[in-house]
Amino acid sequence: MTGGVRRKNPILKTRQPTLPPALRSRVALGMTAGAAVGRLDLQQCEQCGTVQYPAREVCRSCLSGQLVWRPQDGLGTLLSETVSRASMELYFRERLPWRVGLVQLAAGPTVVAYVHAACAAAPADVRVEVALDRAGQAVLVAMPLDAAVTLAEDPRLHDMTCDPTHRKILVTDGKSEVGQAMVRAFAAAGASQVWVGHAEPWKQPPGFAALAELPQVTLVPLDVTDGQSVTELAGVIGGKVDIVVNTADHHRTYGIAGRRGVETAQAEMEVNYLGLLRLAQAFGPALRGRAADGDAGAVAWVNILSIFALANFPPHGTYSAAQAAALSLAQCLRAEMRPAGIRVVNVFPGPVDEPWNQLVLPPKIAPKGLADAVVKALKATVEDVYPDPVARDWLERWRADPKTLERELMAASPSSAG
């Protein structure tokens, strides 16, 4: 009270996240599709071979409509550049000045690209990479030829990445081999805090107790099948987490014909699908609310799924179905996180070298290899990760002809399941 007048405290509003323009034509989304997996794709004419930029409906040389998206190496020459010091777009205005240039690609076209701070002044040899910006759309970036230089080293391009260095990370299940490998990978990558979820504290699998000895690690109770457990943890650390990594997984080798098929399917859905839903409902709002906190803001959500989500693998039939449901939910989560600029990264490994894949023949990805792939993805700008040869082969066969892949997988089905 001052002079008999009650003075109100000012209202402090959380700064809202800003995003670059996100509108793209349907044809231009082809570049975004490539960027989602870390590949620079440009249209190329099937008739005359001309590489196109920007994306278009017909070839700029022969007017053919037979344009296909093909990978490019991105090598070229920075011809000219400018520094933008004013912008009508709030996202860019907050991050001025911007370095932008024209790059003549060895493949033919001249492209407009952001220019990394480490690039020499024009004219200079560069390598054009594609990245996903905070709006989830593809942009081109001129990088120096030195492969060691990353987007994170440029202050204006840094927020396209989700680098785990100095971040606070929740790994939802640290008891599995994959979960333990993930915790160690984040600790090695320089995370400042790693919360490690664990259910059933009386069970101590090999290696789990040693995680507590890592200086960044804090063990926290978390059972994704229990809504109260998830909500309570979100109430304690939800406002601090920068990256959620959902490693919770229930995996059994049953089809649908065996007597235990229903019980197995219920358990798999409880963890793999409903567990993700509970986590999203509890932690999603907190991440969205912290998306505008600058370098200390929330940046990403990672789902460890399975390549079985794309097409059912009959020997693991109910697990494949649960993974397909989780993938669909993860796509919804991506849409809801997009307005805040939170990147949802879905990881689709092939068979992982863990107990429930013991009867699956090699090659299988090691838990450490999977964890390293996740760290690499967060340091880059991708949102879909196929970390091993089996997953990448499965993906290509699925893209080429889903029905043929379905028939091929039928051959792997045992004569009787369960």
Side-chain angles (χ1 to χ4, degrees), residues 150-381:
T150 67
L151 290 176
E153 296 174 43
D154 186 321
R156 287 164 186 80
L157 303 177
H158 178 273
D159 70 354
M160 293 185 193
T161 77
C162 305
D163 194 327
T165 305
H166 306 308
R167 296 287 185 184
K168 298 179 177 66
I169 301 170
L170 169 63
V171 176
T172 61
D173 178 15
K175 286 191 170 182
S176 68
E177 294 179 20
V178 169
Q180 292 181 33
M182 209 69 64
V183 171
R184 295 186 182 281
F186 285 126
S192 62
Q193 173 76 56
V194 184
W195 290 284
V196 182
H198 63 98
E200 301 177 336
W202 58 89
K203 292 183 179 179
Q204 295 287 322
F208 178 71
L211 293 181
E213 299 175 6
L214 298 173
Q216 303 102 316
V217 167
T218 300
L219 303 181
V220 292
L222 177 59
D223 182 351
V224 300
T225 68
D226 182 348
Q228 182 176 350
S229 172
V230 177
T231 301
E232 288 179 352
L233 182 62
V236 175
I237 68 170
K240 305 174 185 178
V241 175
D242 302 327
I243 302 173
V244 172
V245 183
N246 183 22
T247 57
D249 183 56
H250 188 84
H251 184 185
R252 297 294 183 268
T253 53
Y254 288 102
I256 61 175
R259 289 179 296 175
R260 297 182 61 185
V262 173
E263 291 78 5
T264 298
Q266 287 174 333
E268 288 168 338
M269 291 293 285
E270 274 293 331
V271 174
N272 302 326
Y273 171 71
L274 294 174
L276 172 57
L277 179 59
R278 295 182 187 100
L279 289 166
Q281 291 178 331
F283 284 90
L287 264 67
R288 290 195 298 268
R290 294 191 51 250
D293 290 351
D295 290 340
V299 290
W301 186 297
V302 180
N303 295 308
I304 308 301
L305 301 173
S306 168
I307 198 65
F308 298 166
L310 298 187
N312 192 285
F313 185 48
H316 300 232
T318 56
Y319 178 71
S320 299
Q323 287 294 316
L327 170 57
S328 182
L329 189 65
Q331 290 169 333
C332 177
L333 177 63
R334 178 176 287 158
E336 293 190 2
M337 289 293 192
R338 182 73 73 211
I342 302 293
R343 176 162 296 136
V344 173
V345 180
N346 291 331
V347 186
F348 302 88
V352 180
D353 192 8
E354 49 88 24
W356 285 101
N357 282 317
Q358 285 179 340
L359 299 182
V360 177
L361 295 176
K364 292 182 280 192
I365 185 170
K368 183 181 184 304
L370 177 54
D372 290 343
V374 170
V375 172
K376 181 180 178 181
L378 289 171
K379 289 184 176 181
T381 70

Side-chain angles (χ1 to χ4, degrees), residues 14 39 48 115 146 174 205 222 255 360:
T14 301
R39 189 179 63 235
C48 69
V115 181
D146 182 1
L222 177 59
V360 177

